[in-house]
Amino acid sequence: MTKPSLVAAAALVAAGAGVVAIPAMAATKTVKATSANTWSPKSLSVKKGDTVRFTWSTSAPHNVRKTSGAGKALRTGISQKGSGSFKVPAKGTYRFVCDVHPGTMKITVKAS
């Protein structure tokens, strides 16, 4: 290799080294049922690709159902102890409710 070719090759390697992209890690955010029959938190901000996990273990029965937003449906069975997960497929607003306590157990999830 000639000296100019060697310098050009080294420059390409050096330039390429700074262009390595590291993908962002998806997160799991947990929403819990409270003894007051509410979701905690009442609203949530997530990123596209994150997972929202609902859990409950209370004296009252609960479930979780997605009522709006993109992606697959989510509807769990009604039980005193349970969980359900939803992977957020796109930016937007998602709403979830417990069918047993629809007046107090609603949550809005905003994905960016």
Side-chain angles (χ1 to χ4, degrees):
M1 223 181 225
T2 65
K3 189 171 182 178
S5 297
L6 190 56
V7 171
L12 285 173
V13 170
V19 185
V20 176
I22 299 172
M25 298 292 291
T28 297
K29 307 280 183 151
T30 301
V31 177
K32 295 183 179 183
T34 71
S35 59
N37 297 326
T38 62
W39 290 119
S40 179
K42 293 181 188 235
S43 63
L44 189 62
S45 294
V46 300
K47 297 200 180 294
K48 174 186 164 190
D50 287 353
T51 298
V52 180
R53 183 169 189 263
F54 294 86
T55 64
W56 59 94
S57 180
T58 62
S59 59
H62 303 291
N63 79 324
V64 63
R65 176 174 55 90
K66 182 172 71 94
T67 60
S68 68
K72 294 182 180 182
L74 172 63
R75 183 181 206 134
T76 66
I78 296 172
S79 62
Q80 284 183 295
K81 182 177 181 179
S83 66
S85 294
F86 178 76
K87 185 171 181 176
V88 179
K91 295 177 181 181
T93 301
Y94 300 81
R95 289 185 174 80
F96 300 86
V97 66
C98 167
D99 291 315
V100 180
H101 306 99
T104 58
M105 292 187 82
K106 299 182 234 183
I107 182 171
T108 299
V109 176
K110 296 196 179 213
S112 59

